[in-house]
Amino acid sequence: MASRKLYFDNPRQLSLLYCGKEENLQAIESNFDVKLVTREGWVQIEGGEERLDKVALVFELLKEARDQGLAIKDSDFKGVVDGVNNGKEDELRSLYDEATVIKTRRKSIVPKTIGQKQYLQSIRSNDVVFGIGPAGTGKTYLAVAAAVSQLIDGSIKRLILSRPAVEAGETLGFLPGDLQEKILPYLRPLYDALYDMLDREDVAKLIDKGVIEIAPLAYMRGRTLSESFVILDEAQNTTSEQMMMFLTRLGNDSKMVITGDLTQIDIPRSRQSGLLEVKDILKSLKGINFHYFKSTDVVRHHLVQKIIEAYDAYRSTEK
């Protein structure tokens, strides 16, 4: 029987690694057949030498995540414990070793959850990424941040942001004003994200030059989008035909991110959601990745996560 002590800056730093829950420490003990004792900023591990190494690695990885500004949730803690226990150390190290920072003109943006970091890594590694999950997980905001960063460093020549204008039936003709005034209510969240990363004057200039384009999905038809970063938001409200149309706009040296929440489908029930369908059609294609956010990735008010979980529980009892 060997023993090892791991020291941390203070008790709070240690507590945040295991979410301050005794049951999480017990999970380590049962998974690795060790005994843990925690006191004032240190944890003592007792067990076989090889098992000590594994438990030490669990705390090391969790600390790296915290040092990068990531909030450790129960699901993240369990993922690290299971990963180390199942010999996936290299996969976990690749996730935590390097901090992910997106630089825009107004601010530097870092992921706040492990799920967000995996999403940004997926965008970096794949030409087409689907970000699917509940409201408040940052799926659209982070996609815009990644696109703005690439626009600034010259990796792409255009940034194209689109949404299906479901409420206006994609016609928009009966609304007053010019095109910009007609579509503004449906595209406002995309403008808000841009204004958070670029000065308003710069956004206006880039739109005037056609470097940034914000338009309803219907205006994508018949185009080839090359050397562009293309984002389709609220994709759960596309039809099957619209989703196929959008995906086939992909041109050379371009990247696409499609975001949506499958619990907020607004199109008529008689129509199949393009996002719901595409996750089965394209799930095996190389170069396309589906990233699923969880309620634990919510970074809005703490009640948002609880609201989402309450709705999920209610819907599951209705089935």
Coordinates of all heavy atoms in Angstrom, one line a residue, residues 258-297:
I258 N -23.5 24.8 -38.5 CA -25.0 24.8 -38.5 C -25.4 24.6 -37.0 O -25.0 23.6 -36.4 CB -25.6 23.7 -39.3 CG1 -25.1 23.9 -40.8 CG2 -27.1 23.7 -39.2 CD1 -23.9 23.1 -41.2
T259 N -26.2 25.5 -36.5 CA -26.6 25.4 -35.1 C -28.1 25.3 -34.9 O -28.8 25.8 -35.8 CB -26.1 26.7 -34.3 OG1 -26.8 27.8 -34.7 CG2 -24.6 26.9 -34.5
G260 N -28.5 24.7 -33.9 CA -29.9 24.5 -33.7 C -30.3 23.8 -32.4 O -29.4 23.2 -31.7
D261 N -31.5 24.0 -32.0 CA -32.1 23.4 -30.8 C -33.3 22.6 -31.2 O -34.3 23.1 -31.5 CB -32.4 24.5 -29.8 CG -33.0 24.0 -28.5 OD1 -33.2 22.8 -28.4 OD2 -33.3 24.8 -27.6
L262 N -33.2 21.3 -31.0 CA -34.2 20.4 -31.5 C -35.5 20.4 -30.6 O -36.5 19.8 -30.9 CB -33.7 18.9 -31.6 CG -32.7 18.7 -32.7 CD1 -32.1 17.3 -32.6 CD2 -33.3 18.9 -34.1
T263 N -35.4 21.1 -29.5 CA -36.6 21.2 -28.6 C -37.4 22.5 -29.0 O -38.4 22.7 -28.4 CB -36.2 21.3 -27.1 OG1 -35.5 22.5 -26.9 CG2 -35.3 20.1 -26.7
Q264 N -36.9 23.3 -29.9 CA -37.6 24.5 -30.3 C -37.9 24.6 -31.8 O -37.6 25.6 -32.5 CB -36.7 25.7 -29.9 CG -36.5 25.8 -28.3 CD -35.9 27.1 -27.9 OE1 -36.2 28.2 -28.5 NE2 -35.2 27.1 -26.9
I265 N -38.5 23.5 -32.3 CA -38.9 23.5 -33.7 C -40.2 24.3 -33.9 O -41.2 23.9 -33.3 CB -39.0 22.0 -34.2 CG1 -37.6 21.3 -34.1 CG2 -39.5 22.0 -35.6 CD1 -37.7 19.8 -34.4
D266 N -40.1 25.3 -34.8 CA -41.3 26.1 -35.0 C -42.0 25.9 -36.3 O -43.1 26.5 -36.6 CB -40.9 27.6 -35.0 CG -40.3 28.0 -33.6 OD1 -40.9 27.6 -32.6 OD2 -39.3 28.7 -33.6
I267 N -41.4 25.1 -37.2 CA -42.1 24.8 -38.5 C -43.3 23.9 -38.2 O -43.3 23.2 -37.2 CB -41.1 24.2 -39.5 CG1 -40.5 22.9 -39.0 CG2 -40.0 25.2 -39.9 CD1 -39.7 22.2 -40.0
P268 N -44.3 23.9 -39.1 CA -45.5 23.0 -39.0 C -45.1 21.6 -38.8 O -44.1 21.1 -39.3 CB -46.2 23.2 -40.3 CG -45.8 24.6 -40.8 CD -44.3 24.7 -40.4
R269 N -45.9 20.9 -38.0 CA -45.6 19.5 -37.7 C -45.6 18.6 -38.9 O -45.1 17.5 -39.0 CB -46.5 18.9 -36.6 CG -46.3 19.6 -35.3 CD -47.2 18.9 -34.2 NE -46.9 19.5 -32.9 CZ -47.5 19.0 -31.8 NH1 -48.4 18.0 -31.8 NH2 -47.2 19.6 -30.6
S270 N -46.3 19.1 -40.0 CA -46.4 18.3 -41.2 C -45.1 18.3 -42.0 O -44.9 17.5 -42.9 CB -47.5 18.9 -42.1 OG -47.3 20.3 -42.4
R271 N -44.2 19.2 -41.6 CA -42.9 19.3 -42.3 C -41.8 18.7 -41.4 O -41.7 19.0 -40.2 CB -42.5 20.8 -42.7 CG -43.6 21.5 -43.4 CD -43.8 20.9 -44.8 NE -42.7 21.0 -45.6 CZ -42.3 22.0 -46.4 NH1 -43.1 23.1 -46.4 NH2 -41.3 21.9 -47.2
Q272 N -40.9 17.9 -42.0 CA -39.8 17.3 -41.3 C -38.7 18.4 -41.1 O -38.3 19.1 -42.0 CB -39.2 16.2 -42.1 CG -37.9 15.7 -41.6 CD -38.0 14.8 -40.4 OE1 -38.4 15.3 -39.3 NE2 -37.6 13.5 -40.5
S273 N -38.2 18.5 -39.9 CA -37.1 19.4 -39.6 C -35.9 19.0 -40.3 O -35.5 17.8 -40.1 CB -36.9 19.5 -38.1 OG -35.6 20.1 -37.8
G274 N -35.2 19.9 -41.1 CA -34.0 19.5 -41.8 C -32.9 19.1 -40.8 O -32.1 18.2 -41.1
L275 N -32.8 19.7 -39.7 CA -31.8 19.4 -38.7 C -32.0 18.1 -38.1 O -31.1 17.3 -37.9 CB -31.7 20.5 -37.6 CG -30.6 20.3 -36.6 CD1 -29.3 20.4 -37.2 CD2 -30.7 21.4 -35.5
L276 N -33.3 17.8 -37.8 CA -33.6 16.5 -37.2 C -33.3 15.3 -38.1 O -32.8 14.3 -37.7 CB -35.1 16.4 -36.8 CG -35.6 15.2 -36.0 CD1 -35.0 15.2 -34.6 CD2 -37.1 15.3 -35.9
E277 N -33.5 15.6 -39.4 CA -33.2 14.5 -40.4 C -31.8 14.4 -40.8 O -31.2 13.3 -40.9 CB -34.0 14.9 -41.7 CG -33.8 13.9 -42.9 CD -34.5 14.4 -44.1 OE1 -34.2 15.5 -44.6 OE2 -35.4 13.7 -44.6
V278 N -31.0 15.5 -40.9 CA -29.7 15.5 -41.3 C -28.7 14.8 -40.4 O -27.7 14.2 -40.8 CB -29.2 16.9 -41.6 CG1 -28.8 17.6 -40.4 CG2 -28.0 16.9 -42.6
K279 N -29.1 14.8 -39.1 CA -28.2 14.1 -38.1 C -28.1 12.6 -38.3 O -27.2 12.0 -37.9 CB -28.6 14.5 -36.7 CG -29.9 13.9 -36.2 CD -30.2 14.4 -34.8 CE -31.5 13.8 -34.3 NZ -31.4 12.4 -34.0
D280 N -29.1 12.1 -39.0 CA -29.1 10.6 -39.3 C -28.5 10.4 -40.7 O -27.8 9.4 -40.9 CB -30.5 10.1 -39.3 CG -31.1 10.1 -37.9 OD1 -30.4 9.8 -36.9 OD2 -32.3 10.4 -37.8
I281 N -28.7 11.3 -41.6 CA -28.2 11.2 -43.0 C -26.7 11.3 -43.1 O -26.0 10.5 -43.8 CB -28.9 12.2 -43.9 CG1 -30.4 12.0 -44.0 CG2 -28.2 12.1 -45.3 CD1 -31.1 13.0 -44.8
L282 N -26.1 12.3 -42.4 CA -24.7 12.6 -42.5 C -23.8 12.2 -41.4 O -22.6 12.5 -41.4 CB -24.5 14.1 -42.7 CG -25.3 14.8 -43.9 CD1 -25.0 16.2 -44.0 CD2 -24.9 14.1 -45.2
K283 N -24.3 11.5 -40.4 CA -23.6 11.2 -39.2 C -22.3 10.4 -39.4 O -21.4 10.5 -38.6 CB -24.4 10.4 -38.2 CG -24.9 9.1 -38.7 CD -25.8 8.4 -37.7 CE -26.4 7.1 -38.2 NZ -27.3 6.5 -37.3
S284 N -22.1 9.7 -40.6 CA -20.9 8.9 -40.8 C -19.9 9.5 -41.8 O -18.9 8.9 -42.1 CB -21.4 7.5 -41.3 OG -22.2 6.9 -40.4
L285 N -20.2 10.7 -42.3 CA -19.4 11.3 -43.3 C -18.1 11.9 -42.7 O -18.3 12.7 -41.7 CB -20.1 12.3 -44.1 CG -21.1 11.9 -45.2 CD1 -21.6 13.0 -46.0 CD2 -20.5 10.8 -46.1
K286 N -17.0 11.6 -43.2 CA -15.7 12.2 -42.7 C -15.7 13.7 -43.1 O -16.1 14.1 -44.2 CB -14.5 11.5 -43.3 CG -13.2 11.9 -42.8 CD -12.1 11.0 -43.4 CE -10.7 11.4 -42.7 NZ -9.6 10.6 -43.3
G287 N -15.2 14.5 -42.1 CA -15.1 15.9 -42.4 C -16.3 16.7 -41.9 O -16.4 17.9 -41.9
I288 N -17.3 15.9 -41.4 CA -18.6 16.5 -40.8 C -18.7 16.0 -39.4 O -18.5 14.8 -39.1 CB -19.8 16.1 -41.6 CG1 -19.8 16.6 -43.0 CG2 -21.1 16.6 -40.9 CD1 -20.9 16.2 -43.9
N289 N -18.9 16.9 -38.5 CA -18.9 16.5 -37.1 C -20.2 17.1 -36.4 O -20.6 18.2 -36.7 CB -17.7 17.1 -36.3 CG -17.8 16.7 -34.8 OD1 -18.1 17.5 -34.0 ND2 -17.4 15.5 -34.5
F290 N -20.8 16.2 -35.6 CA -22.0 16.6 -34.8 C -21.6 16.8 -33.4 O -21.2 15.8 -32.8 CB -23.1 15.6 -35.0 CG -23.8 15.6 -36.3 CD1 -23.2 14.9 -37.4 CD2 -25.0 16.3 -36.5 CE1 -23.8 14.9 -38.6 CE2 -25.6 16.3 -37.8 CZ -25.0 15.6 -38.8
H291 N -21.7 18.0 -32.9 CA -21.4 18.2 -31.5 C -22.7 18.5 -30.7 O -23.5 19.4 -31.1 CB -20.5 19.5 -31.3 CG -20.1 19.7 -29.9 ND1 -19.1 19.1 -29.2 CD2 -20.7 20.6 -29.0 CE1 -19.1 19.5 -28.0 NE2 -20.0 20.4 -27.8
Y292 N -22.9 17.8 -29.7 CA -24.2 17.9 -28.9 C -23.9 18.5 -27.6 O -23.1 18.0 -26.7 CB -24.8 16.5 -28.7 CG -25.3 15.9 -30.0 CD1 -24.5 15.1 -30.8 CD2 -26.6 16.2 -30.5 CE1 -24.9 14.5 -32.0 CE2 -27.1 15.7 -31.7 CZ -26.2 14.8 -32.4 OH -26.7 14.3 -33.6
F293 N -24.5 19.7 -27.3 CA -24.3 20.4 -26.1 C -25.3 19.8 -25.1 O -26.3 19.3 -25.4 CB -24.6 21.9 -26.2 CG -23.6 22.7 -27.0 CD1 -23.7 22.8 -28.4 CD2 -22.5 23.2 -26.3 CE1 -22.7 23.5 -29.0 CE2 -21.5 23.9 -27.0 CZ -21.6 24.1 -28.3
K294 N -24.9 19.9 -23.8 CA -25.8 19.5 -22.7 C -26.3 20.7 -21.9 O -25.7 21.8 -22.0 CB -25.0 18.5 -21.8 CG -24.4 17.3 -22.5 CD -23.4 16.6 -21.6 CE -22.7 15.4 -22.3 NZ -21.7 14.8 -21.4
S295 N -27.2 20.4 -21.0 CA -27.7 21.5 -20.2 C -26.6 22.0 -19.3 O -26.6 23.2 -18.9 CB -28.9 21.0 -19.3 OG -28.5 20.0 -18.5
T296 N -25.6 21.2 -19.0 CA -24.5 21.7 -18.2 C -23.5 22.6 -18.9 O -22.7 23.2 -18.3 CB -23.6 20.5 -17.7 OG1 -23.3 19.6 -18.8 CG2 -24.4 19.6 -16.7
D297 N -23.8 22.8 -20.2 CA -23.0 23.8 -21.0 C -23.6 25.2 -21.0 O -23.1 26.1 -21.6 CB -22.8 23.3 -22.4 CG -21.9 22.1 -22.5 OD1 -20.8 22.1 -22.0 OD2 -22.3 21.1 -23.1

